[in-house]
Amino acid sequence: MKEGWDLKKILFNRLEVKLTAVFLFVGLVAPTIGVCYFYLIATSLIPQNTIVSAEQQMLLDELVILIILLIAANTTILGFYLSRSFTRPIKELLRTTQELEKGNFSIRANIHTNDELAQLSDAFNRTTITLGKIEEERLQLDKAKSEFLSIVSHELRTPITPLKAQLQMLEQNYFGKLTDRQHESLTVILRNAERLNKIIEDFLEVSRIEAARLKFVFRTTNIEELIRETVHFMEGFAKEKNITLEISTGSLPTIEADPDRISQVLRNLLHNAIKFSPQDSIIQIHAAVKKEYVCFSVKDQGIGLTPDDQIRVFEPFFQVEGTLNRNYGGTGLGLTICRGIIEAQKGKIWVESKQKEGATFFFTIPLVPVKEVEPIKVLFSAKSEIERRLKEEFTSVLGPMGMVEYNELKNKHALDKQYLMEYITSLEDQCILRPASALEFKGKVGNIFGEETNQEKVDETTHRKERRTP
Ligand code: ADP
């Protein structure tokens, strides 16, 4: 994990050093043999046991050492120069590939060596041009998708308002008394119109999140008061199931934030918590300042979520499978919208849960609000797909510990690829993973970030086989 001055790495992990060493070895051995041969002949020619001969011998020794040193220096310089001319284009390719990896499609490799490396560089440049075009098309499609969503939601909302109004008037016998059958039928129609309205409203909200048109009105907000008001608002629903809502907060500051948006997220989490909790249970609402954020949590004693469902719960339209859940209703967009609101403020939202023991939803908002809201891709975004696949890999390799570790990494390091790789190395260092599993894990993570490696061919089940209990 540490980034230090590693002599071993510098000496053995660099092509330049390796090539120079080869040049030095080859360039030194042959001339040295020749010099030694000359030295032996010259020594045999010097008359023995005279004062002059001792001086001549010393001079010869010094001369030989000097020649060898000169040869060594020359071959090192020549070797270094030649190896640099070999490695320069390779380094250029490495640099451009790394830029491409970061999503810079305008990068071009600049190699003019008139050999295979130059051909490789041309091929690389053509590939980046193609990738750039694909990326441009993807962005246009993405924009078209967001615009389509926004237009369709607006258009759908227009007729639904008078439709609902007319239905309500019918139901209240405004146009004459209804028979029981008619009333029953109208109730069903009205309920579904309400549902349709909710879906359209949710779609509109999603389209606002995607187009960075989500409105935030920041004002001085007393968080504690805000929590109490929101909880008070939800108490009516909780009473239906005799559920107790308990608030516990640390000392909370008054901050600049959008209270309506925070309340919207809290209401959604509380609504879900009540929906999925049994009669006479307790829901705990907690908030505390953690570094530059306020961290909120809503803990229930409800049905909970499996590790797989925890992975998918913030995806659009996701609802846990099961007949029971169908009775709960909902659009499956509530948590997606919560995620959009929180991420627009550069906060995080996540869940920890054990099935049948309840779930705790957490979210953070910054003490200093983010006023420049950026678009967040919550519908079928590449980012959410990456997150989903990473979560799957983490739980597949590390079991239940994987979810905790994944959330920790996501919160602290925003799933930076480099950091993930270092993290996997640390698992190997701590003997949590065997080297083969760690390598395979790295390959999979690389694949998720768009790297094609041979790891795809590796049998997925080996993860589990090789896993050691941490
Ligand atoms: P919905 O409008 O359907 O409730 P959400 O996005 O709010 O949509 O929730 C998606 C799904 O996540 C729910 O349908 C439910 O299956 C699951 N879920 C959400 N909150 C909880 C919870 N507190 N306990 C168990 N499951 C939950």
Side-chain angles (χ1 to χ4, degrees), residues 198 202 268-269 271-273 275-276 300 302-305 313 315 318-321 325 329-336 358-359 361:
K198 171 88 175 87
D202 282 356
N268 208 313
L269 298 185
H271 191 255
N272 279 346
K275 224 169 27 168
F276 298 105
D300 64 54
I303 57 174
L305 291 147
V313 84
E315 280 177 22
F318 177 76
Q319 292 187 313
V320 173
E321 272 304 314
N325 188 48
T331 60
L333 279 173
L335 288 175
T336 309
F361 281 81

Side-chain angles (χ1 to χ4, degrees), residues 35-36 38-39 59-69:
V35 171
C36 289
F38 158 79
Y39 175 76
L59 200 67
L60 186 65
D61 289 352
E62 281 170 6
L63 189 69
V64 166
I65 291 170
L66 188 70
I67 291 173
I68 292 177
L69 283 179

Side-chain angles (χ1 to χ4, degrees), residues 98-364:
Q98 282 168 342
E99 277 296 310
L100 188 66
E101 197 181 9
K102 287 182 208 156
N104 178 0
F105 295 99
S106 60
I107 192 79
R108 300 284 177 267
N110 213 352
I111 299 171
H112 307 285
T113 46
N114 284 334
D115 53 17
E116 286 89 341
L117 284 170
Q119 287 171 16
L120 180 63
S121 140
D122 285 346
F124 176 84
N125 287 344
R126 284 196 297 276
T127 312
T128 51
I129 291 170
T130 313
L131 283 176
K133 281 183 188 154
I134 294 172
E135 175 66 3
E136 214 171 285
E137 277 170 24
R138 190 189 69 78
L139 289 175
Q140 274 169 5
L141 273 175
D142 211 43
K143 200 165 160 241
K145 177 201 79 183
S146 298
E147 274 170 17
F148 176 76
L149 182 69
S150 170
I151 293 166
V152 168
S153 323
H154 272 107
E155 290 302 316
L156 286 176
R157 195 171 62 162
T158 315
I160 201 99
T161 315
L163 180 92
K164 259 176 58 190
Q166 291 292 320
L167 286 172
Q168 273 158 359
M169 283 160 87
L170 264 175
E171 199 205 21
Q172 286 156 18
N173 299 327
Y174 199 81
F175 304 117
K177 188 143 174 58
L178 301 178
T179 64
D180 284 353
R181 277 296 300 276
Q182 284 169 334
H183 197 269
E184 229 170 72
S185 167
L186 200 62
T187 311
V188 175
I189 298 171
L190 242 174
R191 205 172 46 233
N192 281 291
E194 287 288 357
R195 191 169 146 69
L196 194 62
N197 190 39
K198 171 88 175 87
I199 294 171
I200 293 166
E201 288 293 339
D202 282 356
F203 263 120
L204 260 175
E205 196 77 323
V206 166
S207 79
R208 284 186 206 115
I209 293 171
E210 293 232 328
R213 269 194 270 113
L214 203 60
K215 291 260 177 312
F216 283 93
V217 183
F218 298 108
R219 49 180 195 265
T220 312
T221 306
N222 182 330
I223 298 289
E224 208 169 327
E225 223 168 76
L226 176 73
I227 294 174
R228 289 196 191 284
E229 277 170 18
T230 313
V231 169
H232 182 65
F233 177 79
M234 297 303 290
E235 257 160 5
F237 300 99
K239 266 191 196 127
E240 286 172 20
K241 287 168 107 176
N242 197 26
I243 290 172
T244 313
L245 302 181
E246 275 181 10
I247 303 174
S248 65
T249 55
S251 85
L252 293 172
T254 300
I255 61 167
E256 202 190 345
D258 183 337
D260 296 337
R261 289 293 177 197
I262 301 174
S263 174
Q264 182 181 354
V265 175
L266 255 181
R267 265 183 281 133
N268 208 313
L269 298 185
L270 281 169
H271 191 255
N272 279 346
I274 296 168
K275 224 169 27 168
F276 298 105
S277 284
Q279 291 274 347
D280 309 319
S281 59
I282 297 171
I283 294 173
Q284 288 164 311
I285 302 101
H286 180 73
V289 174
K290 290 205 174 139
K291 290 187 181 161
E292 289 103 58
Y293 291 86
V294 184
C295 181
F296 298 77
S297 65
V298 175
K299 184 175 195 261
D300 64 54
Q301 299 171 328
I303 57 174
L305 291 147
T306 63
D308 279 353
D309 292 337
Q310 289 171 47
I311 290 170
R312 306 195 50 206
V313 84
F314 296 99
E315 280 177 22
F317 311 109
F318 177 76
Q319 292 187 313
V320 173
E321 272 304 314
T323 45
L324 248 184
N325 188 48
R326 293 282 157 234
N327 302 333
Y328 294 122
T331 60
L333 279 173
L335 288 175
T336 309
I337 293 169
C338 289
R339 193 188 123 205
I341 293 171
I342 296 302
E343 288 189 1
Q345 279 300 297
K346 304 270 185 251
K348 298 275 176 218
I349 182 161
W350 71 100
V351 59
E352 285 170 15
S353 174
K354 271 196 185 146
Q355 211 183 4
K356 299 200 179 88
E357 286 181 27
T360 310
F361 281 81
F362 297 86
F363 71 93
T364 58

